[in-house]
Amino acid sequence: MLWHRIISAFIGIPLFLAAVWYGGLPLLVLTAALMLLGIWEISRIFARIDLKVPCLLAMSSCLFLLVLAYHYQEGYSGVAVVAIIIAVFLAMVMQYPRFTPIDAAVTLLSIFYVGLIIYLFLISTYDNGFIWLLILLVCTWASDTFAYLIGRKWGKHPLAPALSPGKTLEGSVGGILGGIITAFAVTVFTRDLPFLPVLLIGFIIGITAQAGDLVESAIKRQAGIKDSGNLIPGHGGILDRFDSMLFTAPFVFYYVGKVILN
């Protein structure tokens, strides 16, 4: 298992960082691939509890979100949200009772949850987009790592036992510290970044990363599974690897755009 994790990381991380470095089309294609794989995984998760998420409809909706994000360089546009809601409800009307209102609600949840991956690409459209993406990645990874290590070593008080029995308050504090410490390290090596705003990014990433992790834990707990998939040997599925980033990426996009660059 350990060797599977090491080999997967050795291959996957350089490919991912290369797409982040080049930005543009490579990152756009990577984002699209992550969205499609994420929809495939979440549809299989909900299928375990007899809820239908039509893959073709959900995947095309996610790609629609990405196309409009690429065109307008903004998050969920009103046009996209309204069009997707109408499309899903029309599918419900045409396919009822095979596709029920509950299925439609879960489909919308899946689309707008997995669709948050678009913010990975959107961050790259900023000036110095690579730097902001790098801050997002290293702070999110550090938060996850610190939370795990500190929770394993000193964790005693459960954080959310009904969702994830292994997570502790001590680990949560460790995750926040990991985000802050990593953000501080970034400012040391990149001196032209604003010090306090970047530290605040690290602090809030430490919180939002754990929120993203717990949200995915709730979905998996409802379906009675441990991993969202087995696409990445030793690591689980795409959603298992990007659950934290689904919440940290939107925050970084809006905070950088509305507060720092504005």
Side-chain angles (χ1 to χ4, degrees):
M1 180 67 72
L2 177 60
W3 280 109
H4 287 166
R5 294 176 67 90
I6 293 173
I7 293 172
S8 298
F10 184 76
I11 296 173
I13 291 177
L15 291 175
F16 185 79
L17 290 178
V20 169
W21 170 259
Y22 282 105
L25 184 59
L27 184 57
L28 186 68
V29 171
L30 175 64
T31 304
L34 292 176
M35 294 174 79
L36 296 179
L37 292 170
I39 287 292
W40 180 73
E41 285 185 355
I42 203 167
S43 68
R44 289 170 60 89
I45 291 173
F46 283 123
R48 295 178 64 92
I49 49 177
D50 298 323
L51 293 173
K52 297 177 182 177
V53 177
C55 274
L56 182 59
L57 175 60
M59 287 179 177
S60 59
S61 296
C62 277
L63 291 178
F64 183 54
L65 286 173
L66 183 59
V67 168
L68 290 191
Y70 173 77
H71 182 73
Y72 293 109
Q73 294 191 2
E74 65 178 18
Y76 290 173
S77 70
V79 172
V81 171
V82 171
I84 290 170
I85 291 174
I86 291 174
V88 171
F89 284 161
L90 285 177
M92 176 192 70
V93 170
M94 295 171 64
Q95 299 179 37
Y96 185 84
R98 290 180 292 111
F99 186 55
T100 68
I102 296 177
D103 294 327
V106 170
T107 298
L108 289 172
L109 168 67
S110 301
I111 292 168
F112 293 119
Y113 173 64
V114 175
L116 292 171
I117 296 176
I118 66 172
Y119 288 94
L120 280 175
F121 173 77
L122 286 172
I123 293 170
S124 72
T125 64
Y126 284 146
D127 292 336
N128 296 318
F130 172 73
I131 297 298
W132 299 119
L133 265 177
L134 189 62
I135 291 173
L136 166 71
L137 296 177
V138 297
C139 286
T140 301
W141 290 337
S143 175
D144 289 344
T145 303
F146 272 63
Y148 172 76
L149 294 177
I150 292 179
R152 186 175 181 180
K153 180 70 174 178
W154 292 290
K156 293 182 179 179
H157 301 88
L159 176 65
L163 293 178
S164 187
K167 289 182 173 57
T168 62
L169 289 172
E170 292 81 2
S172 179
V173 172
I176 295 172
L177 290 175
I180 295 173
I181 292 170
T182 306
F184 174 78
V186 170
T187 63
V188 170
F189 292 102
T190 313
R191 296 185 178 276
D192 57 339
L193 292 175
F195 180 72
L196 288 178
V198 172
L199 284 189
L200 184 57
I201 287 178
F203 171 73
I204 301 184
I205 282 179
I207 296 173
T208 53
Q210 296 178 63
D213 190 297
L214 289 172
V215 167
E216 199 222 0
S217 293
I219 294 172
K220 292 188 296 184
R221 177 73 61 178
Q222 189 68 25
I225 59 174
K226 183 178 183 294
D227 296 324
S228 66
N230 55 9
L231 183 65
I232 309 173
H235 291 268
I238 291 295
L239 295 178
D240 292 320
R241 292 303 91 203
F242 288 88
D243 55 356
S244 298
M245 220 164 290
L246 290 175
F247 276 46
T248 58
F251 160 74
V252 171
F253 174 74
Y254 286 115
Y255 181 76
V256 171
K258 303 296 185 182
V259 177
I260 296 180
L261 298 182
N262 200 26

